[in-house]
Amino acid sequence: AQSVTQLDSHVSVSEGTPVLLRCNYSSSYSPSLFWYVQHPNKGLQLLLKYTSAATLVKGINGFEAEFKKSETSFHLTKPSAHMSDAAEYFCVVKGSNFGNEKLTFGTGTRLTIIP
Amino acid sequence: GAGVSQSPRYKVAKRGQDVALRCDPISGHVSLFWYQQALGQGPEFLTYFQNEAQLDKSGLPSDRFFAERPEGSVSTLKIQRTQQEDSAVYLCASSPGQGVSYEQYFGPGTRLTVT
C-alpha cells in the first residue's frame, strides 16, 4: 500500500520569499516520489521526481525537494516565489514493485503568492 | 510535438445517460492511464493499459465504468447510467514505457457534469 499526506491545504507567501510545501509518504516498498503542478485550466506538469538516486532533487522553475527516509518526508521548496508559481501542487507516490504503475496523489496544496 | 489530447473538454449529461470520453495519447506511448479528479481533490487512479491490454482496473468505482484501447493507441472511457457522484474531471495520461524512469504526461482533462 502507498499513500501521501500533504500537510497544508493552502499556503500563502509574499513574492520573493521562500516557499515550503510539506509532504509525508507511506509505502511498503522503496518509493518513487514526484511533485506535479496544476495551473488553472491546464494539464498536470511534472516538477521533479525522486527515484532512489540523489536525495536532493532539483526540478524545473527553481523548485527542489529533499527525500528524507528517516522522516518519511519529501518537502518541496523554492528560495524565492514568483507570481507565476500560484497554482495547485500535488505530492505523488509510486510503488517500485514490478507492475505497479499507478500514481497515488495527495489532496493538493494551493499556493497563493501575495504581491 | 503534440501532447495528450482529450475530447470533449466539457460534457454535461443528464442522470441516467451514457457518456464516452476519448483520449489520444502521445504517439508511440505504450502505457495509458485514466484518473478521476473530484472537485477539490487529487486525481485518483482508475485504470491502466499497456498497449491494448488492460493490466489494472482496480480503481474503477463500479461496473458502470468501462475502458478500452482496442488498437493500443486511442482509448475510450465509457460511463453507463451516469450518476451525480460521477461529476468530476477525467484525466488521461500516457507514458513511453513501464517503470519509474518514465514520466506520465497528462492531458487537459474532460470535465463531466451530471445534472
Side-chain angles (χ1 to χ4, degrees):
Chain A
Q2 58 200 41
S3 65
V4 287
T5 301
Q6 292 185 244
L7 300 171
D8 306 291
S9 57
H10 293 89
V11 170
S12 293
V13 301
S14 296
E15 189 176 17
T17 65
V19 175
L20 170 64
L21 305 184
R22 299 182 295 164
C23 173
N24 288 113
Y25 70 90
S26 173
S27 178
S28 302
Y29 297 85
S30 297
S32 294
L33 294 159
F34 309 79
W35 278 96
Y36 278 81
V37 62
Q38 189 174 40
H39 287 94
N41 298 316
K42 291 192 176 181
L44 285 158
Q45 181 183 20
L46 180 67
L47 278 178
L48 50 80
K49 65 180 179 182
Y50 166 77
T51 57
S52 76
T55 56
L56 183 62
V57 182
K58 294 187 183 300
I60 62 172
N61 301 334
F63 285 93
E64 63 181 38
E66 186 171 8
F67 174 74
K68 292 187 176 180
K69 186 175 181 178
S70 61
E71 299 177 9
T72 61
S73 69
F74 190 59
H75 301 333
L76 181 71
T77 61
K78 182 173 180 177
S80 176
H82 295 162
M83 294 301 296
S84 61
D85 294 329
E88 189 88 18
Y89 291 79
F90 293 97
C91 182
V92 182
V93 64
K94 178 180 178 183
S96 60
N97 49 318
F98 180 77
N100 183 2
E101 295 296 313
K102 69 179 182 184
L103 301 180
T104 300
F105 286 75
T107 52
T109 297
R110 180 167 298 277
L111 177 62
T112 300
I113 311 299
I114 303 165
Chain B
V4 178
S5 60
Q6 295 186 244
S7 61
R9 291 293 312 279
Y10 303 90
K11 177 70 178 177
V12 179
K14 292 188 189 308
R15 190 171 54 187
Q17 283 184 332
D18 298 348
V19 299
L21 312 180
R22 177 187 169 104
C23 173
D24 286 81
I26 294 172
S27 178
H29 279 197
V30 298
S31 299
L32 186 145
F33 304 81
W34 285 98
Y35 294 85
Q36 179 191 58
Q37 186 175 18
L39 188 65
Q41 301 295 315
E44 292 192 356
F45 171 81
L46 294 176
T47 187
Y48 155 59
F49 292 84
Q50 185 179 354
N51 296 307
E52 68 278 5
Q54 190 173 18
L55 299 186
D56 187 348
K57 53 182 180 180
S58 62
L60 295 176
S62 77
D63 58 7
R64 297 187 296 105
F65 287 70
F66 173 76
E68 60 184 6
R69 194 187 187 198
E71 297 179 357
S73 178
V74 171
S75 177
T76 304
L77 176 68
K78 297 179 179 177
I79 309 174
Q80 297 177 324
R81 304 181 303 282
T82 52
Q83 304 295 315
Q84 282 195 316
E85 61 263 28
D86 300 334
S87 295
V89 176
Y90 290 85
L91 297 168
C92 177
S94 70
S95 176
Q98 277 187 294
V100 298
S101 299
Y102 296 101
E103 177 183 346
Q104 292 186 24
Y105 296 83
F106 284 81
T110 295
R111 182 178 297 277
L112 173 65
T113 303
V114 181
T115 61

